[in-house]
Amino acid sequence: MIRSVNKAKGNISSVFAHLGASKQELDPRFLELKRQIAPKNADLLRKAFDRLLDTFEKEAQEIRQHGSSIIPEVTMEDIRGNGGRLPEKIVPEIKKRGTVVIRNIVDRALAAEYKASIQEYINNHPGIVGFPEDNPQVWEVYWSKAQVAARSHPNFNEAAVALNHVWHGDKNAPIDLSKNLVYCDRMRIRQPSDGTFKLAGHIDGGSLERWEDPEYRACYTKILEGKWEEYDPYDVTHRIEAVMDMYDAPGGCSMFRLMQGWLAISKIRPGGGTLRVCPLIKEPTAYFMMKPLLEESMNSSNFMGAWPARCQDITDTDHPHIVNSMVSVPEVDCGDGVFWHCDTVHGVEPEQTMTTDSSVLYIPSTPMCPRSSEYLRRQRAAFEKGITPPDFPANDCEEHFDDRATPAMLNGAQRLGMGFDPFPEEEGLTEGQRKAIREHNRIIASSL
């Protein structure tokens, strides 16, 4: 089966409660879940949270002082000159901030061509679904030739692999950080003066699942023990098998997405409807994971912005320290990329004040592991049919377009990344890498 029979039509707003998606009262089992996972000694989390607030206050001063410039930047030339890895001197800052700008991933002229091609594709097919419905800024478009080309651009793959290597795990764990698979997502062309795409602070990768799924919860063990200072956000060990979408969300990511990201296909400056992030990763994660479990909240099933099949909302009511520490990313040009940790609190500026469009292709870094390979097989089948990828609302706008990308158009690297061809088993692999490649090749060899 390519996708769930329950997958409904929709758009990007379908997964965001603050954009109008329905939300339900949490039933009593979530109150029981709180009691199961919270420390028996309530003072443990209270003291940990108080320490966290002290740290947040100090970090917030630095963030206010530096603004957008606090986000680290690196160039493709830096990565290539360091053997395909991020320069060691910048890695600690990337790990702390959870966000990075990578300059010059794609030639500016080529990135601009991507946008022109996609605009022509959209104009050729009136009626493509998007958000908002009456004047789309975010389009339910996945299979334009430009998107397929950008996702497998050799520089993008090199950048993604460099980002993957910021992470680590047990050498026997079935994951290969040196192999990046292709995850097919939407794109945005946000017009001047748009004020509709008001994507407030949130975290993707599920919401209630972080507490509810035992394997996902294990990622945050140190936080839930009140030892948030010891929490390692870049350990893949428990994330590989974590269930991040228990409720068939209309936009939940089935692949293991280490870093979310986008590739700019226009110039975008702060104020131009760009990305906003909280440029910390350990502290905000500890904040939103601990706060619903503090003693004063233990008589309610409320998980503060988390609902089934919705992203985790971060609000000034429940998470003021996080919201007040958010900044816009620096100005970017065509061909630059911005990437952020899968637990990074992020949103979008409410107004697009530039006189030109603010446009990006959403493309994450997604290393090879069995869960990602399983999804890749279903995504491949969707591509062959021209229907919407399995994670997304079942609009199938492109199914009958004769100018969309097709498997026959893929080159060798694209066929590898999209799961049409097996990866070779090279010399010098760890046991975990070997497991990941063998399992990947077994999975993609079978059809649905």
Side-chain angles (χ1 to χ4, degrees):
M1 182 183 298
I2 295 177
R3 65 181 172 220
S4 165
V5 296
N6 298 318
K7 188 73 75 173
K9 295 183 178 182
N11 56 42
I12 197 169
S13 70
S14 303
V15 76
F16 294 109
H18 66 266
L19 289 183
S22 62
K23 55 188 180 184
Q24 62 192 66
E25 290 295 321
L26 299 184
D27 60 49
R29 70 188 174 91
F30 288 100
L31 180 57
E32 181 58 30
L33 174 64
K34 281 190 174 186
R35 292 169 178 163
Q36 290 173 2
I37 66 177
K40 302 306 178 187
N41 181 358
D43 284 345
L44 197 66
L45 282 193
R46 179 74 263 171
K47 291 177 180 178
F49 197 75
D50 288 344
R51 294 196 310 273
L52 178 64
L53 294 183
D54 289 342
T55 299
F56 235 119
E57 192 56 44
K58 296 172 186 175
E59 294 289 351
Q61 292 178 16
E62 185 178 7
I63 293 169
R64 286 192 292 268
Q65 179 183 351
H66 292 280
S68 297
S69 66
I70 204 164
I71 295 171
E73 301 183 19
V74 66
T75 69
M76 273 307 301
E77 292 76 17
D78 294 332
I79 293 172
R80 192 165 294 117
N82 194 45
R85 298 289 182 267
L86 293 162
E88 291 79 2
K89 64 181 180 181
I90 200 173
V91 169
E93 193 65 10
I94 293 173
K95 283 188 168 186
K96 178 175 181 176
R97 301 300 169 195
T99 304
V100 61
V101 175
I102 302 182
R103 304 284 185 189
N104 309 323
I105 295 178
V106 174
D107 178 79
R108 290 180 184 176
L110 178 57
E113 287 176 17
Y114 287 159
K115 185 181 74 171
S117 174
I118 292 167
Q119 287 176 314
E120 181 180 5
Y121 184 73
I122 291 171
N123 291 338
N124 286 343
H125 302 286
I128 295 175
V129 176
F131 176 83
E133 294 179 3
D134 60 344
N135 184 25
Q137 311 294 309
V138 181
W139 296 87
E140 294 297 306
V141 168
Y142 303 88
W143 304 127
S144 71
K145 294 173 185 175
Q147 285 170 288
V148 171
R151 292 169 187 144
S152 295
H153 191 287
N155 286 2
F156 192 94
N157 185 70
E158 188 173 358
V161 170
L163 290 166
N164 290 347
H165 280 92
V166 172
W167 294 67
H168 65 91
D170 188 289
K171 65 180 180 180
N172 293 315
I175 187 168
D176 188 347
L177 297 172
S178 71
K179 307 284 190 301
N180 199 67
L181 304 179
V182 173
Y183 184 74
C184 301
D185 204 333
R186 317 175 164 89
M187 47 81 60
R188 178 189 89 210
I189 301 179
R190 194 174 185 191
Q191 300 298 334
S193 303
D194 174 66
T196 58
F197 186 44
K198 299 178 179 179
L199 197 55
H202 67 280
I203 310 130
D204 295 307
S207 57
L208 289 166
E209 289 88 347
R210 287 183 171 85
W211 295 275
E212 190 174 5
D213 176 61
E215 189 69 5
Y216 206 174
R217 186 169 67 242
C219 299
Y220 311 104
T221 296
K222 289 295 184 181
I223 292 174
L224 298 177
E225 290 176 347
K227 303 173 184 176
W228 63 266
E229 295 93 339
E230 300 175 25
Y231 165 62
D232 182 356
Y234 296 91
D235 185 352
V236 301
T237 303
H238 293 289
R239 293 181 187 266
I240 298 171
E241 300 297 334
V243 180
M244 300 180 183
D245 182 11
M246 299 175 68
Y247 299 97
D248 196 21
C253 184
S254 298
M255 270 193 175
F256 179 23
R257 183 171 53 181
L258 290 184
M259 305 287 281
Q260 295 176 244
W262 50 244
L263 179 71
I265 51 174
S266 73
K267 184 185 287 289
I268 311 170
R269 61 169 175 77
T274 196
L275 179 74
R276 286 174 56 79
V277 299
C278 179
L280 296 167
I281 188 61
K282 180 183 291 188
E283 293 83 359
T285 305
Y287 191 111
F288 70 74
M289 288 298 298
M290 286 194 294
K291 194 172 183 185
L293 303 179
L294 296 179
E295 187 173 19
E296 59 267 29
S297 299
M298 287 299 289
N299 291 322
S300 166
S301 60
N302 179 21
F303 272 85
M304 299 184 179
W307 295 278
R310 299 291 177 262
C311 288
Q312 169 80 45
D313 276 354
I314 299 296
T315 67
D316 53 8
T317 299
D318 292 325
H319 317 95
H321 297 80
I322 301 176
V323 173
N324 292 336
S325 298
M326 294 181 72
V327 298
S328 299
V329 299
E331 181 173 326
V332 295
D333 210 332
C334 283
D336 294 341
V338 180
F339 300 88
W340 57 100
H341 186 288
C342 52
D343 285 342
T344 291
V345 176
H346 62 288
V348 174
E349 292 175 335
E351 301 289 337
Q352 206 287 64
T353 62
M354 299 192 305
T355 57
T356 54
D357 60 78
S358 173
S359 303
V360 305
L361 304 179
Y362 297 110
I363 317 175
S365 68
T366 43
M368 179 187 288
C369 64
R371 192 179 84 201
S372 293
S373 301
E374 289 284 2
Y375 178 80
L376 192 72
R377 184 174 64 127
R378 294 193 290 129
Q379 180 182 264
R380 179 185 67 190
F383 178 45
E384 290 172 327
K385 293 177 178 292
I387 63 176
T388 302
D391 273 347
F392 298 91
N395 301 298
D396 297 340
C397 299
E398 300 167 89
E399 185 174 7
H400 302 295
F401 293 179
D402 59 9
D403 55 346
R404 63 176 171 83
T406 64
M409 300 174 183
L410 301 182
N411 62 31
Q414 291 169 333
R415 289 182 61 83
L416 275 177
M418 291 283 284
F420 285 91
D421 291 336
F423 275 86
E425 195 171 318
E426 303 149 341
E427 295 293 326
L429 299 176
T430 66
E431 183 59 30
Q433 287 177 309
R434 188 172 290 106
K435 287 179 184 176
I437 290 176
R438 289 178 178 175
E439 185 66 3
H440 173 82
N441 291 341
R442 182 195 66 80
I443 290 167
I444 67 164
S446 60
S447 58
L448 293 172

